[in-house]
């Protein structure tokens, strides 16, 4: 096992930053033994115990998560989504799908900024809303996982649910509600469902 060392990283922050989102991204992409984050004024300081080889990766994750002074093709708020016919749509699922499709996307302070063109974003909002409106008896997180996997893999929500249950990331409650919920964080569930669907498709092609 690689030996750890004390690492302190300091960044200048321009604009607002979602600390909870940053912690999630760090734990997903660059796990460390111990991480502490402090935001003081316009400086973000991160102290951690990490293998030496992880330091560069951690720095990239933090840099990518920070808001940048750059021109994005599209900015979107929940009010914008409502005006575009997607009321109540959580923008984190839009951010997730855009990133999986290769676009830059950053959600901060309730505003989504992305390199995707407005027409691409409008089309995606319509696609996600249609899937979400067609699913029933799913928790909020399960709806996100199923919708994301369905849209990205091009399968029906029912197929995504079936695969999720079979793989153990979705589970049906054993009570009168019979509601389906996520066993893991919804992005992890979506990734596993998508991976399983891709594997099944490749098996059919071989």
């Amino acid at each position: 096992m690689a030996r750890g060392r004390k690492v302190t990283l300091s960044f200048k922050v321009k604009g607002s930053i979602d600390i909870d989102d940053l912690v999630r991204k760090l734990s997903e992409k660059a796990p460390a033994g111990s991480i502490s984050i402090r935001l003081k004024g316009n400086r973000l300081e991160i102290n951690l115990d990490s293998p030496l080889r992880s330091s560069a990766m951690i720095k990239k994750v933090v840099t990518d998560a920070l808001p940048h002074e750059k021109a994005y093709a599209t900015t979107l708020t929940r009010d914008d989504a409502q005006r575009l016919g997607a009321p109540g749509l959580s923008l984190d699922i839009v951010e997730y799908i855009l990133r999986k499709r290769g676009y830059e996307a950053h959600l901060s302070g309730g505003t989504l900024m992305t390199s995707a063109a407005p027409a691409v974003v409008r089309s995606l909002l319509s696609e996600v809303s249609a899937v979400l409106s067609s699913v029933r008896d799913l928790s909020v997180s399960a709806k996100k996982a199923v919708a994301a996997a369905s849209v990205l893999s091009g399968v029906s929500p029912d197929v995504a649910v079936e695969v999720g249950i079979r793989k153990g990331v979705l589970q049906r409650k054993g009570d009168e509600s019979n509601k389906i919920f996520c066993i893991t964080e919804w992005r992890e569930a979506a990734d596993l469902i998508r991976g399983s669907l891709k594997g099944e498709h490749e098996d059919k092609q071989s």
Side-chain angles (χ1 to χ4, degrees), residues 21-32:
D21 184 58
L22 176 58
V23 170
R24 176 182 63 76
K25 289 172 181 173
L26 281 172
S27 64
E28 287 178 354
K29 302 295 184 182

Side-chain angles (χ1 to χ4, degrees), residues 2-92:
R3 294 182 62 187
R5 66 166 187 170
K6 293 287 186 180
V7 178
T8 298
L9 301 173
S10 182
F11 303 86
K12 185 176 181 179
V13 179
K14 299 177 180 179
S16 61
I17 181 171
D18 188 331
I19 297 295
D20 291 337
D21 184 58
L22 176 58
V23 170
R24 176 182 63 76
K25 289 172 181 173
L26 281 172
S27 64
E28 287 178 354
K29 302 295 184 182
S34 175
I35 299 177
S36 65
I37 298 178
R38 183 175 65 173
L39 182 62
K40 187 175 182 180
N42 66 343
R43 302 298 303 184
L44 177 71
E45 186 176 284
I46 299 178
N47 295 289
L48 49 92
D49 295 322
S50 171
L52 178 60
R53 66 175 182 272
S54 296
S55 298
M57 186 188 302
I58 292 170
K59 187 172 182 178
K60 183 180 186 306
V61 171
V62 176
T63 301
D64 290 345
L66 293 176
H68 302 287
E69 291 183 348
K70 62 181 293 184
Y72 286 93
T74 308
T75 59
L76 185 77
T77 65
R78 292 192 69 175
D79 288 341
D80 295 330
Q82 183 168 351
R83 285 193 294 271
L84 292 170
L89 179 62
S90 180
L91 296 182
D92 56 355

Side-chain angles (χ1 to χ4, degrees), residues 32-177:
S34 175
I35 299 177
S36 65
I37 298 178
R38 183 175 65 173
L39 182 62
K40 187 175 182 180
N42 66 343
R43 302 298 303 184
L44 177 71
E45 186 176 284
I46 299 178
N47 295 289
L48 49 92
D49 295 322
S50 171
L52 178 60
R53 66 175 182 272
S54 296
S55 298
M57 186 188 302
I58 292 170
K59 187 172 182 178
K60 183 180 186 306
V61 171
V62 176
T63 301
D64 290 345
L66 293 176
H68 302 287
E69 291 183 348
K70 62 181 293 184
Y72 286 93
T74 308
T75 59
L76 185 77
T77 65
R78 292 192 69 175
D79 288 341
D80 295 330
Q82 183 168 351
R83 285 193 294 271
L84 292 170
L89 179 62
S90 180
L91 296 182
D92 56 355
I93 186 174
V94 180
E95 177 195 36
Y96 170 85
I97 294 174
L98 286 171
R99 287 183 173 180
K100 293 298 182 182
R101 287 181 169 174
Y103 295 102
E104 289 185 39
H106 177 73
L107 180 61
S108 178
T111 298
L112 175 66
M113 297 165 286
T114 177
S115 61
V120 172
V121 176
R122 287 195 298 269
S123 176
L124 179 57
L125 288 175
S126 177
E127 194 175 3
V128 173
S129 294
V131 172
L132 289 174
S133 65
S134 70
V135 295
R136 297 287 185 274
D137 301 325
L138 270 69
S139 68
V140 173
S141 59
K143 282 184 178 181
K144 290 181 180 181
V146 168
S150 175
V151 169
L152 288 167
S153 302
V155 301
S156 72
D158 288 343
V159 170
V161 169
E162 178 184 340
V163 172
I165 291 176
R166 188 168 69 243
K167 291 298 179 180
V169 291
L170 299 180
Q171 183 174 314
R172 194 179 295 275
K173 283 187 175 180
D175 57 19
E176 293 181 358
S177 71

